[in-house]
Amino acid sequence: MTTTTRLLILDDDPLTGQTIANIATMAGVEARYVDEPSAFFQQVRDWQPDFIALDLIMPRMDGVQVMVELARLGCHAEIIISSGVGGRVLDAAARSAAEHGLNIAGVLAKPFSPARLRAMLKHSNSTDNQTGTAPVIGDTASAFDNDISRQDLVNALENKQITLVYQPKINCRTGLLAGFEALARWNHPRHGPVGPDRFIPLAERYGLIDTLTESVMVQGLRWLSQLPTQLDSSPEFDYLRRRLREITLSINISASSLNNIDLFERMDEYCQSTGIRPDRLIFELTESCAMEDPISSLDILTRLRMKGFHLSIDDFGTGYSSMLQLARLPFSEIKIDKSFVMTAAESKESRTVIKTIIDLGHGLGLYTSAEGIERDETLEYLRSIGCDLAQGYAIARPMPPDVVLDWLRKGRLTDESRRLQVLHSLNILDTPPDERFDRITRLAARLFRVPIALFTLVDANRQWFKSSIGLDVPETARDISFCTYAIEHEEVMVIPDATINPTFKNNPLVLQDPHIRFYAGCPVHADTGSRLGTLCLIDREPREFSRHDEAVLRHAAQMIENELTADFLAHADPLTNMLNRRGFDARAQEAIALCHDADLQACLFLFDLVDFKSFNGRHGPAAGDRALIEFSRLLRETFRGSDLIARYGDDDFVVLMVDIDPLGPQAALNRLRAVARAIAQPHPVSYNSGWSLLEPDDGSVQQLILRASDRMHSEDR
Ligand code: C2E
Ligand code: CA
Ligand code: CA
């Protein structure tokens, strides 16, 4: 037929190319598909297509270059730009093509809408027999699978037959619950249970994966937000309930859904409506999915990270990825494929692969996670080589929601002997002072302006002070301790004036040193829920303590609990002994929440050593290390023990000052300058600084860092 419209497709992904060709053929258009530029230009010259569908971003060729070349050839074909990049990028590409004198028929964003493609082709199409009768792509694809049709899957989604099970993920070192992974399940009325390995690829092929992903997200988020309230309302679950408000949920994302910006916009909205912080969600992408199209991946993944979501590379070790790409892409976790983990016990090769991936992950500052742990000895091995997170049948199988609840309840502990067992298993009694807890007791003493603040642990016959401000005895007998009473309840125990309280008025701690008048103690829990001791405030004067004060104290006690469960090894910078970025981010978030709660001012400082790379070059890496250590010392001496100080990047440092100096940020910077002058350094490095004050609507520390960095750069100029 001489009048038939001709469409030439250039796409380096055969599935996409073929999909477009099928839709076009269905619409009565003659379509040819090529996957590399030289064949493409040959066809442009010899076949003279009316339309060209062009993928702009292809890993092995440059789509923009192809457009420039088409313009040079004086090509008159109408160009349809197809790509997975975001609308803005596509629009810019379309504009630039138009400026080169090419005719642009339109932009076809992934996932492809057959109707949209047909509309574009019809635009100047001479054959008009296709209207309304062209089957959609799914029907052509149904031949791919023998018994599950597209309609089956559509029905399943509409009738909510696709549900979720949840598999716990624990912290390897501490054994604590870190989060869950949501896994899709389909119970088909005729076929019975269908595995995700089967229906996920079908959903991808039938163009239903985005609907499926969205349904998974909606179900998962609702489940996560309701989980704490599903537990019995008795106070013994209070602590567990609070922990459950912090855990993460991992969701699997197919490569094709990654391009669906709208989906993630909606995800953002679901997070807001369910009250889940985006940083509690981890999107798991397979290695190949992220590497398929590194340029657009970078764009999309960066945007997701900017929204606060975490990203994990799933099944790591089974695909191919360039180290460079891996380092460039903003992942937070690397998940070792279960094929290595399941065989770790027998196979030395598997263990080598696992160890290598863990070292690689840590080298890149990522959390490392292993799945497919079927034996306790594998978990032990992973712990010994420093793996961060663990998932597998040996810990728990994927479970439907009601079974998850039973599993959680089983972990709870109540009675005193279990409480002591837990306390002793923490190996924290009679250990040296620890800056991590001292920071918080100092903060509590500052905030409430009390002379004494303690983190106490209630042992069988004594209370021992893990951190103590304003008191120099290491312990007191349990039978006279206030904290023994405070750990009997969940509530903050407040004694405004001990001298008139029937229980305490004859207590030796009231009658003699330290002459307690006022006491407020909030229980501190182990992750099992056991009340280990308290964070308490003591004054020698009577005092009132408001509900609001109680909330602030509870918040500080939670900071202690978080320190108890935090994985300090993963949070410290070995060179300077300061917190690293991960450690800072985790704590800064709490500190900001506390400031909002307590209506306190906070200030974030950012420091960047000037030309540190060339400093290293001039003086050698050992001098570079010394300079970093010196700088960290400088910060420690300048700022207060209650501030959060961290090495944030190679040569970047941050400080979060809670309850800022009345003299303001500038006073702190002046102090820093003075201390710097007082310390004699062999090769002093200069630094740039920037700061920003906490504002009422700051939700994340990143906002403060951005503003501080803007200020730093504007002062640069
Ligand atoms: P995956 O993301 O690698 O998920 C882990 C799989 O390992 C799950 O299989 C889980 O049940 C299984 N597993 C966990 N621990 C062990 C263990 O100790 N031993 C063994 N042998 N297996 C273990 P499942 O649930 O059958 O899921 C299979 C795959 O289907 C998933 O692999 C994921 O790629 C895909 N999938 C599941 N749900 C979704 C979803 O909602 N969206 C997308 N896009 N893909 C999903
Ligand atoms: Ca996964
Ligand atoms: Ca996996």
Side-chain angles (χ1 to χ4, degrees):
M1 227 199 285
T2 51
T3 51
T4 307
T5 311
R6 291 181 298 275
L7 166 70
L8 178 62
I9 303 152
L10 173 62
D11 198 308
D12 88 325
D13 172 30
L15 186 61
T16 311
Q18 213 48 64
T19 304
I20 299 177
N22 288 348
I23 300 171
T25 310
M26 231 55 88
V29 170
E30 197 181 332
R32 287 188 187 174
Y33 154 64
V34 290
D35 65 359
E36 51 87 32
S38 65
F40 172 76
F41 286 113
Q42 179 98 42
Q43 293 284 339
V44 171
R45 275 188 302 268
D46 300 351
W47 192 48
Q48 302 265 323
D50 305 294
F51 286 90
I52 290 173
L54 181 62
D55 185 0
L56 272 190
I57 295 181
M58 299 170 282
R60 291 186 305 274
M61 52 184 141
D62 182 341
V64 177
Q65 200 62 48
V66 170
M67 278 204 312
V68 172
E69 182 61 17
L70 283 174
R72 206 186 56 80
L73 292 173
C75 172
H76 294 299
E78 301 222 34
I79 310 229
I80 297 170
I81 297 175
S82 68
S83 191
V85 290
R88 276 216 327 271
V89 180
L90 278 183
D91 290 346
R95 276 200 304 278
S96 110
E99 277 163 20
H100 278 102
L102 293 171
N103 302 318
I104 301 297
V107 165
L108 189 64
K110 274 181 195 163
F112 299 126
S113 139
R116 177 140 172 78
L117 179 63
R118 278 198 302 271
M120 273 184 240
L121 292 170
K122 215 167 76 181
H123 176 63
S124 60
N125 197 336
S126 50
T127 56
D128 54 7
N129 59 347
Q130 77 287 12
T131 323
T133 56
V136 294
I137 184 67
D139 296 28
T140 61
S142 67
F144 287 175
D145 195 82
N146 28 24
D147 45 356
I148 299 169
S149 70
R150 184 178 195 277
Q151 197 53 47
D152 280 332
L153 211 50
V154 170
N155 293 345
L157 284 162
E158 277 174 1
N159 302 330
K160 313 224 178 308
Q161 286 165 10
I162 295 187
T163 56
L164 295 181
V165 288
Y166 301 93
Q167 188 176 30
K169 193 162 131 185
I170 62 166
N171 179 310
C172 262
R173 270 183 289 270
T174 62
L176 307 183
L177 177 68
F180 288 91
E181 176 174 0
L183 294 158
R185 291 291 178 265
W186 180 10
N187 203 353
H188 190 286
R190 260 183 304 128
H191 304 265
V194 186
D197 285 331
R198 205 134 159 255
F199 67 80
I200 298 287
L202 281 177
E204 286 170 353
R205 221 178 296 155
Y206 292 151
L208 294 170
I209 190 66
D210 286 359
T211 319
L212 192 144
T213 306
E214 185 153 356
S215 149
V216 168
M217 286 175 170
V218 171
Q219 290 184 57
L221 269 183
R222 193 181 307 133
W223 174 79
L224 186 66
S225 68
Q226 291 173 355
L227 186 59
T229 61
Q230 305 281 303
L231 282 169
D232 321 43
S233 64
S234 73
E236 66 194 87
F237 288 109
D238 282 358
Y239 179 73
L240 182 55
R241 256 194 295 277
R242 263 192 276 131
R243 285 276 304 163
L244 292 176
R245 295 199 177 96
E246 299 296 324
I247 59 166
T248 58
L249 181 68
S250 300
I251 292 177
N252 294 286
I253 306 289
S254 292
S256 54
S257 293
L258 189 58
N259 296 315
N260 188 338
I261 309 276
D262 293 345
L263 184 69
F264 293 100
E265 286 296 340
R266 285 199 294 278
M267 189 64 193
D268 212 10
E269 288 160 20
Y270 293 135
C271 278
Q272 282 179 14
S273 63
T274 48
I276 303 265
R277 288 196 322 271
D279 67 1
R280 294 178 59 198
L281 294 187
I282 303 172
F283 294 139
E284 295 194 355
L285 313 164
T286 56
E287 195 182 354
S288 45
C289 145
M291 300 303 155
E292 197 168 71
D293 186 346
I295 301 173
S296 71
S297 295
L298 176 62
D299 174 32
I300 294 161
L301 299 182
T302 305
R303 271 196 241 170
L304 292 179
R305 277 297 288 128
M306 277 159 41
K307 286 186 190 297
F309 300 120
H310 283 286
L311 303 170
S312 169
I313 320 173
D314 204 352
D315 303 343
F316 192 81
T318 57
Y320 306 89
S321 46
S322 111
M323 284 310 141
L324 202 70
Q325 294 300 354
L326 190 60
R328 273 180 62 230
L329 293 171
F331 284 101
S332 12
E333 176 189 73
I334 187 168
K335 209 166 174 184
I336 306 165
D337 189 63
K338 61 175 175 289
S339 59
F340 304 111
V341 182
M342 284 160 64
T343 52
E346 317 68 63
S347 157
K348 182 158 187 321
E349 286 73 32
S350 293
R351 289 195 297 275
T352 307
V353 172
I354 293 170
K355 173 93 171 61
T356 309
I357 297 177
I358 288 176
D359 292 344
L360 168 72
H362 286 162
L364 293 172
L366 307 174
Y367 281 102
T368 53
S369 174
E371 70 183 349
I373 299 166
E374 296 186 343
R375 304 196 205 173
D376 292 342
E377 64 205 88
T378 306
L379 184 58
E380 201 40 62
Y381 170 69
L382 289 164
R383 191 177 292 144
S384 76
I385 58 171
C387 183
D388 298 306
L389 298 156
Q391 182 181 345
Y393 294 169
I395 297 151
R397 294 202 169 237
M399 301 171 280
D402 50 334
V403 182
V404 170
L405 284 175
D406 287 339
W407 184 81
L408 287 170
R409 285 190 197 108
K410 269 206 315 252
R412 144 202 79 105
L413 299 157
T414 46
D415 62 297
E416 176 67 5
S417 64
R418 288 289 282 177
R419 192 188 75 77
L420 288 172
Q421 198 183 329
V422 173
L423 174 61
H424 293 162
S425 73
L426 288 173
N427 291 325
I428 186 179
L429 288 166
D430 303 303
T431 52
D434 186 331
E435 183 51 38
R436 294 186 295 150
F437 301 113
D438 293 346
R439 179 175 69 80
I440 302 165
T441 40
R442 262 188 227 119
L443 183 66
R446 270 182 72 81
L447 292 184
F448 293 100
R449 297 186 167 73
V450 287
I452 300 171
L454 308 166
F455 166 28
T456 67
L457 294 165
V458 180
D459 198 1
N461 300 310
R462 60 173 179 161
Q463 64 170 345
W464 184 78
F465 307 136
K466 175 64 208 171
S467 172
S468 102
I469 302 296
L471 202 64
D472 27 66
V473 291
E475 61 183 52
T476 62
R478 180 165 178 179
D479 55 5
I480 57 168
S481 99
F482 281 53
C483 296
T484 294
Y485 293 89
I487 64 165
E488 276 171 16
H489 307 281
E490 270 313 304
E491 296 73 40
V492 174
M493 183 174 96
V494 182
I495 312 291
D497 185 349
T499 58
I500 54 171
N501 182 294
T503 314
F504 295 106
K505 63 181 184 200
N506 296 320
N507 187 303
L509 300 175
V510 176
L511 298 175
Q512 300 151 30
D513 228 26
H515 295 287
I516 299 178
R517 292 291 292 273
F518 162 79
Y519 172 97
C522 178
V524 168
H525 306 78
D527 80 296
T528 51
S530 297
R531 293 187 281 266
L532 302 171
T534 73
L535 171 65
C536 65
L537 309 170
I538 291 172
D539 204 340
R540 297 188 179 93
E541 305 296 328
R543 216 179 131 138
E544 293 303 319
F545 207 62
S546 70
R547 285 264 162 221
H548 181 251
D549 290 337
E550 285 181 23
V552 175
L553 181 62
R554 183 173 294 284
H555 209 126
Q558 279 165 28
M559 290 167 88
I560 292 198
E561 287 166 355
N562 291 340
E563 285 299 349
L564 276 173
T565 53
D567 193 352
F568 194 61
L569 272 183
H571 284 178
D573 168 45
L575 180 70
T576 58
N577 257 324
M578 286 183 152
L579 293 172
N580 61 16
R581 176 189 289 246
R582 281 190 265 166
F584 179 82
D585 285 348
R587 289 163 183 79
Q589 210 56 51
E590 294 168 357
I592 288 179
L594 176 78
C595 288
H596 284 317
D597 257 20
D599 206 11
L600 294 171
Q601 185 54 275
C603 182
L604 182 130
F605 295 87
L606 193 61
F607 299 98
D608 173 33
L609 304 189
V610 176
D611 284 338
F612 188 68
K613 282 204 180 61
S614 61
F615 178 94
N616 257 333
R618 276 197 313 279
H619 304 287
D625 283 358
R626 269 198 306 279
L628 290 169
I629 292 170
E630 275 305 319
F631 194 74
S632 65
R633 207 180 112 202
L634 197 63
L635 292 178
R636 280 204 181 94
E637 292 194 9
T638 305
F639 290 92
R640 307 165 307 198
S642 54
D643 299 331
L644 266 182
I645 313 178
R647 179 172 174 203
Y648 208 62
D650 281 342
D651 53 358
D652 299 319
F653 292 81
V654 285
V655 179
L656 184 69
M657 249 182 140
V658 172
D659 189 19
I660 170 98
D661 216 303
L663 298 173
Q666 208 51 53
L669 290 177
N670 293 343
R671 206 159 56 232
L672 179 68
R673 236 170 271 129
V675 178
R677 272 197 302 273
I679 300 180
Q681 287 161 291
H683 308 290
V685 287
S686 43
Y687 57 86
N688 289 323
S689 61
W691 52 267
S692 67
L693 291 171
L694 181 68
E695 282 172 14
D697 52 355
D698 281 337
S700 91
V701 68
Q702 297 308 325
Q703 288 162 284
L704 280 149
I705 291 186
L706 270 179
R707 283 202 306 276
S709 154
D710 283 349
R711 183 187 299 261
M712 175 156 86
H713 292 118
S714 68
E715 285 177 3
D716 258 7
R717 264 180 259 119

